Amino acid sequence: MESARCKAFVAAAECGSFTAAAGKLGYTPSGVSQLVTALERELGFPLLDRSRRGVTLTGEGERFLPEIRGFLGKEDHIYELAAEVRGLTVGSVAIASYPSVATYWLPAVIREFQTDYPEIELRLMEGIRQEMLEWIDQGIADMGFLTYTEPMNYEWIPLAEDRMVAVLPADHPLAGRKAYPLSRCEEEDFIMPALGHDVDVEALLTENYIRPHIKFTTLENPATLAMIQNGLGVSIMNELCTTGWNRKLVKLPLEPEKNLTFGIAVPSVRHASPASRRFLEYAVRMLTRPERRE
């Protein structure tokens, strides 16, 4: 199986058209089309449906896309190992992360890592938990920076604890309290991030038998915090997400208290590429020391 054919198929599937895939790969659209057709002939069935609007995956294409990504990943791994043996350090690392971790923790790690390994390409992908797990499952991301939740189907490297807090408008009746009673979520207009399914918040509420009065849902926490500033409701999130948000809102510890464990999910440290293992080493060294996360 030729890697050029596989790369053309993956690019076309991700871009949705042969033209866009051609621009990404530096080929002509007809060249990409011919490579994908050759791969389909080799396998014995179509991988893409063609139309005037572009291309979409067939049922077989959906099944084979993660496998072909894995095949290309192994090829890259071989070249990275060979470069490492020759004394060169090259490769790429795709990092999935919560926006908060990507904003406040990872830039310092990336800066130090790139200083030592400028030839390694880093791709930072921000998303909610559901997206990150899908990226790891499909081989799009090499690792994910997220919070620990069962079940954890990957190798887990713990980094740090972070407490969960209630975030209230500055003029909220409980703004002067030392802690926010979790049960109040049933009485408040509640704003739920992560498309209404924040796994960490849902788990906390479920274990305390609380059904919040969800008034609004958002994709990510910055929108939630802006809505709270404007008096549209309250929310619960880990404290890292609230870094830098100090105007027109109040952050209170929860009653009962709750901490989350941040860490790195990796399909397999042993089978990770040399570049990925190097980045993991830097991340663990820098982020397990509180002063290095500042």
Side-chain angles (χ1 to χ4, degrees):
M1 186 180 296
E2 293 184 10
S3 61
R5 297 175 181 179
C6 294
K7 289 177 182 177
F9 163 62
V10 171
E14 292 176 346
C15 296
S17 74
F18 290 137
T19 300
K24 180 177 181 179
L25 297 175
Y27 296 159
T28 64
S30 62
V32 174
S33 177
Q34 291 171 20
L35 287 169
V36 174
T37 299
L39 178 60
E40 292 173 324
R41 287 174 181 167
E42 183 179 358
L43 295 175
F45 44 78
L47 298 169
L48 297 174
D49 284 325
R50 283 83 161 165
S51 71
R52 292 182 179 180
R53 291 174 295 181
V55 297
T56 56
L57 289 166
T58 63
E60 292 79 7
E62 289 182 358
R63 182 178 178 183
F64 272 76
L65 180 59
E67 300 297 328
I68 291 176
R69 281 198 182 110
F71 168 77
L72 292 173
K74 291 184 184 300
E75 181 187 49
D76 291 341
H77 191 177
I78 291 171
Y79 284 117
E80 288 180 22
L81 283 172
E84 194 172 46
V85 170
R86 296 195 306 270
L88 304 173
T89 305
V90 297
S92 64
V93 185
I95 306 157
S97 172
Y98 287 146
S100 56
V101 176
T103 301
Y104 301 113
W105 286 1
L106 288 181
V109 180
I110 292 171
R111 181 186 63 228
E112 187 163 323
F113 183 81
Q114 284 283 272
T115 299
D116 293 340
Y117 301 102
E119 299 303 317
I120 295 180
E121 176 191 0
L122 298 179
R123 300 194 302 275
L124 185 56
M125 307 161 61
E126 300 173 57
I128 60 177
R129 172 181 290 272
Q130 297 92 312
E131 292 174 315
M132 287 194 285
L133 297 182
E134 185 174 336
W135 293 335
I136 296 173
D137 285 341
Q138 294 181 356
I140 299 173
D142 297 306
M143 64 190 71
F145 286 75
L146 63 162
T147 52
Y148 185 87
T149 299
E150 293 285 359
M152 176 54 64
N153 299 319
Y154 315 99
E155 290 190 38
W156 176 254
I157 305 172
L159 294 175
E161 295 283 314
D162 192 35
R163 69 175 181 173
M164 298 190 77
V165 296
V167 189
L168 320 173
D171 59 356
H172 190 277
L174 301 185
R177 290 277 195 94
K178 292 183 178 180
Y180 179 84
L182 196 58
S183 58
R184 281 285 299 237
C185 293
E186 295 183 329
E187 306 169 25
E188 308 265 16
D189 285 342
F190 194 84
I191 307 171
M192 180 72 85
L195 299 174
H197 295 286
D198 187 302
V199 174
D200 296 321
V201 176
E202 286 185 334
L204 171 66
L205 296 170
T206 298
E207 69 186 35
N208 287 278
Y209 305 101
I210 293 172
R211 295 184 179 180
H213 175 241
I214 298 177
K215 181 72 172 181
F216 304 103
T217 62
T218 62
L219 176 59
E220 295 177 354
N221 287 305
T224 303
L225 292 163
M227 293 174 73
I228 295 170
Q229 284 183 329
N230 283 275
L232 294 173
V234 305
S235 191
I236 293 171
M237 58 190 69
N238 58 283
E239 194 165 18
L240 179 64
C241 294
T242 70
T243 303
W245 292 78
N246 298 311
R247 294 179 61 252
K248 297 184 180 179
L249 52 75
V250 173
K251 296 171 273 189
L252 296 179
L254 295 178
E255 188 181 278
E257 296 180 351
K258 177 67 175 182
N259 288 337
L260 298 175
T261 301
F262 277 86
I264 313 172
V266 191
S268 171
V269 174
R270 179 181 178 185
H271 295 104
S273 70
S276 293
R277 290 200 302 273
R278 292 287 175 88
F279 187 82
L280 284 171
E281 291 171 5
Y282 275 65
V284 171
R285 173 169 56 83
M286 295 183 66
L287 297 179
T288 51
R289 296 167 55 188
E291 67 274 15
R292 300 303 296 272
R293 297 195 299 270
E294 298 299 328

